[in-house]
Structures are given as C-alpha cells and as structure tokens.
C-alpha cells in the first residue's frame, strides 16, 4: 500500500509556473506507475499526465502538452508536475494517483486504473 501527499499548489498569475510534488510512502514506490489528474469546480476529474515506474514513458493530455512536464525521482519517492505558461483554465484541484505494476514501461490514463490517490492541492491561476 502507498500513501500520497501532494504539495506545491497556490495562487499564481497567468503565464507563471508552478511545480507540484507528490510524496509517496512505502518502499516499493519504484514499482508504481503514477498519474496526475485535476478537477475544476463543477467539472469531472480529468487526466493530465502519466509516467511509468521507470520514468522512461510519459503521456500528456492535449490540453497541457508542451506546457506541463511529469517526472519522478524514485530515490526520493516523489513524482513532480512542472507547470509552465499557466492559464486561468488550469485552475483546479490537482491529484496524484498510483498503480502498482510489473511493467516498467506502462502508464495509465483513466481514473479506474489507479488504486491510490492523494488528497489534492489547489492551483488557482488568476490576474
């Protein structure tokens, strides 16, 4: 089992950058594929980015491709989401999620594929 704690959210202006972190407990973090999702007020939670447990495979939603970067440091049990060129439409609660897998190159794009979730961190982009 793994517990996830997100941090790094806040209030920023359009065009600014933020880096979210998701710290995981447990000794087997390196066997978990990780994902980031977000939920804006009145909307369903949506997929943002995913990374395999090796870190060698990543995937992004079209809405953030080229602006956001997912990465991980298995030695620190942490996955990151670097967010650049933020827009008001990026305002949401951001969640990280984990799924244990045997396959080093696999990542997952849908909520139902993930077993563990953090509590979320608020990101607000406003002038």
């Amino acid at each position: 089992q793994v517990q996830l704690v997100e941090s790094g959210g806040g209030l920023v202006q359009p065009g600014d950058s933020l880096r979210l972190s998701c710290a995981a407990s447990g000794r087997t973090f390196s066997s978990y594929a990780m994902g980031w999702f977000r939920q804006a007020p009145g909307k369903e939670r949506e997929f943002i980015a995913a990374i395999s447990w090796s870190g060698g495979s990543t995937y992004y939603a079209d809405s953030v491709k080229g602006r956001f970067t997912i990465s991980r440091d298995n030695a620190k049990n942490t996955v990151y989401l670097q967010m650049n060129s933020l827009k008001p439409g990026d305002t949401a609660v951001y969640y990280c999620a984990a799924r244990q897998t045997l396959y080093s190159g696999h990542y997952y794009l849908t909520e139902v594929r993930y077993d563990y979730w953090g509590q979320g961190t608020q990101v607000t982009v406003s002038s």
Side-chain angles (χ1 to χ4, degrees):
Q1 192 166 354
V2 64
Q3 293 183 327
L4 306 174
V5 179
E6 301 97 334
S7 62
L11 172 64
V12 297
Q13 294 187 341
D16 284 353
S17 298
L18 271 179
R19 188 176 79 158
L20 304 183
S21 299
C22 173
S25 64
R27 295 178 295 173
T28 60
F29 175 73
S30 59
S31 66
Y32 284 82
M34 302 296 294
W36 284 98
F37 292 75
R38 69 185 180 188
Q39 187 168 22
K43 295 186 178 181
E44 294 186 350
R45 190 154 55 183
E46 64 171 343
F47 167 80
I48 294 300
I51 189 167
S52 60
W53 64 249
S54 70
S57 299
T58 58
Y59 191 87
Y60 298 92
D62 287 344
S63 59
V64 305
K65 197 175 297 182
R67 298 189 298 123
F68 290 11
T69 302
I70 188 171
S71 62
R72 65 189 297 158
D73 185 338
N74 288 341
K76 295 183 179 180
N77 283 12
T78 302
V79 64
Y80 304 99
L81 185 69
Q82 178 66 43
M83 306 186 294
N84 298 330
S85 303
L86 283 161
K87 306 174 182 180
D90 295 319
T91 295
V93 177
Y94 284 70
Y95 300 89
C96 68
R99 174 193 170 100
Q100 194 166 26
T101 177
L102 296 175
Y103 306 104
S104 62
H106 282 203
Y107 49 74
Y108 304 93
L109 309 185
T110 57
E111 289 186 59
V112 296
R113 302 300 297 272
Y114 287 91
D115 302 312
Y116 304 100
W117 292 84
Q119 83 290 347
T121 185
Q122 176 71 47
V123 172
T124 303
V125 184
S126 175
S127 55

